[in-house]
């Protein structure tokens, strides 16, 4: 999802996209409108539409930092229930980012009288769910897993969702399952409930967690799902725990790689491409070559292919940079890995970038596959002479500086004993005397201000981060946020933040605290993720907030 140390200008260009989960639904069916913002965040506004009922909203964020670039993908989900037949267009989806307003692409849906969703839409089954639908229990947690036999590095999807007949509040998870033998990515939820109609009965459903696991060890594995704590709304506010379930999964080794020694480590389904920003260049010019792997699978373990060696006959090749990002698209984890080469042409001629291939293993085909990029023909012409440089007779490049047109004013005779200058000297002397006289007092005030404005906890946090002391680092981040909230609003936790600030800032504070608690409770961390850069900004934001009356 990282160098959060420095600033958000590290983000690349922002893009916005809206999509809809279904193009045709029946009356009473549920569908979702999702708005995705790449490399930024903002407020998403959708006008009410007669005939469609908004049942809930949620948002998720996936972040990634790689090779000096910070990228994020934030998704805002709006869940609707179709109430009336007709065709509807969401054409006024407004996104506000940094005081600018954007309009997303329109999306359309048709509502018909009878159910129109295909059989791929998942509905729980089994005796326990039937008992719940017959009101044997107030709450039911559905834990679904897509496969119980997978290859090494093949994605395993776990989806957790709650169903309830009564109003409930999700307080959070009670413990973090062990993921020692897996690489894990999860998509957090705001635990917003919406209404579903199942077998003609209305129930409240609450998305809890989406998770993808990539096994890194062979053999039989037990996977425990996350237990959640619920509070039943009522006179006594009963708290109950549901959600923990064990699944047995068999992890198979990858087949023999004979004949595929160039295997990248990618397991899944991918597409591979190579492109150049231009094909006609002059000696001395830069050329950007981009390789991209995109698909369903874990790209973090993938070794990207290299550019062909004979390219060095015509180009100087700089150290490549690699970028990576992951995001959930519906119920699939999509990953993208990009490798960029910067080349500088050094000789005239024609060159071809070819024979670049990417090898991965497809679990569906149970076979290795080689993907070859299209060849790129390059033409390098003679030396390019820029306006700001030239080559001298010795072959040495000389840099020149652009000179502005400047009007020279006539020099004026300066009289040292001019009466105005004398007054000026006297004024300066008086100021210097005053400063000297009050030197100690000024220093005392300056020291006092520095002492009051400087928060030593920030220095400690940064020191913990630089020394990779994740335990003390997470404790300090959680402490500075909760202490600031307590001092400002006199609250001891983050459960009532929405009463004091806007939802976006409240959710961000909760997210950082949850991540810190996650690391603390798990007892170990495989990342050096930065929480403090944004936390410091949030502390400043909290202190400047006016307390609502």
């Amino acid at each position: 999802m990282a160098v959060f140390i420095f600033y958000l200008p590290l983000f690349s260009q922002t893009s916005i996209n809206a999509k809809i989960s279904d193009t045709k639904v029946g009356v009473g069916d549920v569908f979702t409108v999702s708005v995705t913002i790449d490399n930024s965040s903002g407020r998403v506004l959708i006008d009410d539409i007669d005939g469609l009922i908004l049942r809930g909203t949620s948002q998720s964020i996936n972040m990634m930092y790689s090779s000096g670039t910070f990228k994020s993908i934030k998704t805002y989900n709006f869940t609707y229930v179709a109430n009336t037949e007709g065709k509807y267009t969401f054409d006024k989806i407004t996104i506000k980012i940094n005081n600018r307003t954007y309009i997303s692409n329109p999306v359309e849906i048709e509502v018909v009288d009878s159910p129109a969703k295909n059989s791929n839409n998942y509905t729980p089954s089994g005796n326990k769910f039937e008992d719940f639908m017959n009101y044997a229990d107030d709450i039911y947690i559905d834990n679904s897993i897509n496969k119980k036999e997978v290859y090494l590095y093949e994605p395993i999807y776990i989806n957790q969702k709650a169903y309830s007949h009564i109003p409930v509040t999700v307080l959070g998870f009670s413990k973090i399952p062990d993921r020692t033998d897996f690489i894990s990515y999860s998509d957090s939820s705001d635990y917003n409930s919406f209404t579903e109609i199942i077998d003609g009965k209305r129930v409240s459903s609450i998305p809890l967690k989406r998770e993808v696991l990539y096994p890194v060890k062979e053999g039989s594995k037990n996977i425990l799902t996350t237990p959640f704590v619920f509070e039943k709304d009522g006179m006594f506010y009963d708290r109950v725990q549901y959600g923990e379930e064990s699944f047995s999964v068999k992890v198979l080794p990858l087949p023999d790689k004979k004949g595929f020694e160039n295997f990248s480590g990618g397991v899944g389904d991918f597409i591979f491409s190579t492109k150049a920003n231009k094909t006609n260049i002059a000696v001395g010019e830069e050329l950007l070559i981009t390789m991209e792997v995109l698909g369903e699978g874990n790209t973090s373990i993938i070794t990207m292919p290299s550019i062909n060696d004979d390219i060095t006959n015509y180009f100087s090749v700089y150290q490549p940079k690699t970028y990576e990002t992951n995001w959930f698209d519906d119920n699939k984890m999509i990953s993208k890995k990009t490798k960029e080469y910067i080349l500088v042409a050094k000789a005239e001629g024609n060159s071809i970038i070819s024979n670049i291939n990417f090898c991965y293993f497809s679990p569906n085909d149970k076979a290795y596959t080689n993907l070859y990029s299209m060849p790129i023909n390059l033409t390098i012409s003679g030396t390019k002479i820029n306006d700001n440089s030239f080559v001298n007779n010795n072959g040495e490049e000389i840099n020149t500086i652009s000179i502005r047109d400047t009007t020279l004013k006539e020099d004026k005779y300066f009289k040292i004993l001019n009466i105005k200058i004398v007054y000026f000297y006297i004024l300066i002397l008086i100021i210097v005397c005053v400063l000297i006289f009050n030197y100690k007092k000024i220093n005392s005030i300056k020291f006092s201000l520095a002492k009051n404005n400087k928060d030593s906890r920030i220095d400690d946090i940064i020191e913990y981060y630089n020394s990779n002391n994740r335990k003390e680092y997470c404790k300090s981040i959680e402490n500075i946020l909760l202490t600031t909230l307590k001092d400002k609003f006199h609250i001891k936790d983050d459960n009532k933040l929405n009463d004091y600030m806007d939802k976006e800032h409240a959710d961000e504070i909760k997210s950082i605290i949850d991540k810190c608690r996650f690391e603390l409770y798990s007892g170990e961390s495989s990342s050096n993720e930065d929480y403090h850069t944004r936390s410091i900004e949030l502390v400043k934001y909290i202190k400047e907030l006016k307390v609502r009356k």
Side-chain angles (χ1 to χ4, degrees):
M1 76 4 80
V3 165
F4 301 62
I5 292 182
F6 298 111
Y7 278 97
L8 292 184
L10 290 174
F11 279 114
S12 56
Q13 187 176 4
T14 298
S15 63
I16 300 168
N17 181 59
K19 67 176 184 177
I20 199 163
S21 59
D22 302 271
T23 56
K24 181 184 287 188
V25 297
V27 173
D29 283 342
V30 177
F31 66 92
T32 302
V33 177
S34 300
V35 180
T36 301
I37 305 176
D38 293 358
N39 301 314
S40 189
S41 62
R43 291 181 59 204
V44 179
L45 305 173
I46 302 180
D47 292 340
D48 293 337
I49 298 178
D50 293 337
L52 304 177
I53 301 174
L54 179 64
R55 287 301 187 192
T57 63
S58 64
Q59 56 182 274
S60 62
I61 185 168
N62 286 277
M63 295 177 284
M64 177 61 60
Y65 175 79
S66 179
S67 303
T69 299
F70 179 43
K71 297 183 178 181
S72 77
I73 297 176
K74 195 163 188 177
T75 303
Y76 300 81
N77 299 306
F78 297 79
T79 302
Y80 289 87
V81 174
N83 197 40
T84 307
E85 293 179 65
K87 291 185 178 180
Y88 302 92
T89 302
F90 293 84
D91 60 351
K92 294 182 180 180
I93 302 177
T94 304
I95 302 95
K96 294 187 176 181
I97 305 174
N98 297 330
N99 297 323
R100 293 187 177 183
T101 300
Y102 303 86
I103 303 297
S104 179
N105 57 295
V107 289
E108 298 179 349
I109 190 168
E110 181 181 2
V111 180
V112 296
D113 181 46
S114 57
K117 286 193 172 185
N118 56 44
S119 59
N120 292 328
N121 287 280
Y122 176 79
T123 300
S125 60
N127 293 333
K128 289 185 178 180
F129 184 71
E130 288 183 10
D131 291 342
F132 163 77
M133 291 300 293
N134 292 323
Y135 301 95
D137 201 350
D138 293 329
I139 302 173
Y140 173 81
I141 305 298
D142 182 69
N143 300 312
S144 63
I145 187 169
N146 68 323
K147 289 184 178 181
K148 294 187 178 180
E149 183 174 279
V150 295
Y151 285 99
L152 199 67
Y153 308 125
E154 182 181 355
I156 303 170
Y157 293 102
I158 297 173
N159 190 50
Q160 294 183 265
K161 190 174 181 180
Y163 295 88
S164 173
H165 294 301
I166 63 173
V168 297
T169 300
V170 183
L171 300 180
F173 51 83
S174 60
K175 72 175 182 179
I176 301 170
D178 179 28
R179 298 291 186 250
T180 303
D181 295 338
F182 302 89
I183 297 173
S184 172
Y185 295 91
S186 62
D187 186 14
S188 60
S189 171
D190 286 342
Y191 310 133
N192 293 319
S193 65
F194 58 92
T195 301
E196 281 193 47
I197 299 176
I198 301 175
D199 297 331
K201 298 178 181 178
R202 290 182 178 270
V203 296
S204 294
S205 61
I206 307 173
L208 297 175
K209 186 177 182 181
R210 288 186 299 181
E211 189 174 12
V212 58
L213 305 177
Y214 300 96
V216 295
K217 291 184 180 180
E218 304 167 16
S220 297
K221 308 292 178 185
N222 286 324
I223 299 176
L224 284 176
T225 57
T226 303
F228 288 86
V229 177
F230 299 81
E231 187 173 75
K232 297 181 181 181
D233 294 348
M235 183 178 296
F236 300 105
Y237 295 99
D238 293 336
R239 290 188 176 183
V240 292
Q241 178 176 295
Y242 293 93
E244 187 173 61
E245 186 176 352
S246 178
F247 292 100
S248 296
V249 175
K250 185 177 181 180
V251 182
L252 305 174
L254 294 176
D256 184 17
K257 303 179 185 63
K258 185 176 181 180
F260 297 94
E261 286 76 12
N262 62 329
F263 173 56
S264 65
V267 177
D269 291 293
F270 302 95
I271 57 175
F272 173 66
S273 62
T274 301
K275 61 183 179 181
N277 64 333
K278 50 189 170 183
T279 55
N280 294 305
I281 52 247
V283 171
E285 276 192 314
E286 289 185 354
L287 172 68
L288 177 66
I289 302 296
T290 304
M291 301 178 191
E292 183 178 279
V293 173
L294 175 68
E296 184 186 8
N298 185 12
T299 56
S300 66
I301 60 173
I302 284 177
T303 301
M304 295 290 284
S306 300
I307 203 165
N308 42 295
D309 293 336
D310 57 1
I311 197 73
T312 57
N313 295 333
Y314 295 92
F315 294 92
S316 297
V317 182
Y318 289 87
Q319 187 70 24
K321 294 182 179 181
T322 304
Y323 311 92
E324 181 185 347
T325 186
N326 307 277
W327 68 94
F328 276 101
D329 186 0
D330 291 331
N331 290 321
K332 290 185 178 181
M333 172 64 80
I334 304 300
S335 301
K336 181 170 71 173
K337 197 164 191 174
T338 304
K339 188 176 185 180
E340 292 182 349
Y341 281 94
I342 294 179
L343 286 62
V344 177
K346 65 180 183 180
E348 296 182 55
N350 296 314
S351 180
I352 300 177
I353 297 178
S354 60
N355 299 322
I356 298 179
N357 72 297
F358 172 73
C359 181
Y360 70 95
F361 178 77
S362 172
N364 294 329
D365 299 334
K366 299 182 179 180
Y368 292 94
T369 301
N370 271 309
L371 298 177
Y372 292 87
S373 63
M374 296 294 291
I376 301 173
N377 296 302
L378 303 172
T379 302
I380 307 102
S381 58
T383 303
K384 179 182 179 182
I385 301 177
N386 296 320
D387 293 338
N388 294 334
S389 66
F390 64 91
V391 178
N392 68 6
N393 293 333
N394 296 323
E396 214 175 332
E397 186 175 336
I398 306 296
N399 291 325
T400 63
I401 301 174
S402 299
I403 300 177
R404 296 180 180 178
D405 292 333
T406 306
T407 302
L408 298 179
K409 293 184 178 180
E410 182 182 354
D411 288 341
K412 291 186 177 181
Y413 181 69
F414 180 77
K415 295 180 180 180
I416 193 167
L417 295 178
N418 187 300
I419 189 64
K420 293 181 179 179
I421 300 300
V422 173
Y423 289 150
F424 180 71
Y425 287 155
I426 293 172
L427 181 61
I428 290 178
L429 184 61
I430 293 171
I431 293 172
V432 170
C433 291
V434 171
L435 290 175
I436 292 172
F437 182 77
N438 293 282
Y439 174 75
K440 290 185 178 180
K441 185 180 290 186
I442 292 171
N443 269 357
S444 176
I445 295 171
K446 183 178 179 182
F447 176 78
S448 178
L449 288 173
K451 186 177 180 181
N452 290 334
N453 290 332
K454 182 67 174 176
D455 191 339
S456 61
R457 293 177 298 177
I458 295 174
D459 292 335
D460 294 338
I461 289 170
I462 295 174
E463 184 177 344
Y464 292 142
Y465 178 82
N466 291 333
S467 61
N468 202 24
N469 187 344
R470 298 298 294 182
K471 183 177 179 180
E472 294 301 324
Y473 175 71
C474 291
K475 282 184 179 179
S476 300
I477 292 292
E478 181 180 354
N479 178 64
I480 196 171
L481 288 172
L482 292 178
T483 303
T484 305
L485 290 171
K486 181 181 178 182
D487 293 342
K488 183 71 175 182
F489 306 119
H490 306 291
I491 56 176
K492 297 181 179 180
D493 54 45
D494 57 351
N495 290 330
K496 297 182 179 180
L497 288 182
N498 291 335
D499 296 338
Y500 298 94
M501 64 186 68
D502 62 81
K503 186 176 185 300
E504 185 173 350
H505 282 95
D507 289 348
E508 196 169 8
I509 292 170
K510 291 177 183 178
S511 176
I512 292 174
I513 292 174
D514 284 346
K515 287 181 180 180
C516 289
R517 288 173 176 171
F518 183 93
E519 284 198 29
L520 286 170
Y521 296 157
S522 65
E524 60 181 7
S525 173
S526 59
S527 69
N528 193 30
E529 188 172 359
D530 163 33
Y531 307 128
H532 64 269
T533 301
R534 186 57 185 150
S535 295
I536 294 169
E537 294 176 359
L538 289 168
V539 166
K540 182 180 178 182
Y541 163 78
I542 294 167
K543 290 181 177 179
E544 293 175 352
L545 269 180
K546 292 183 179 179
V547 179
R548 298 175 183 175
K549 296 181 180 181

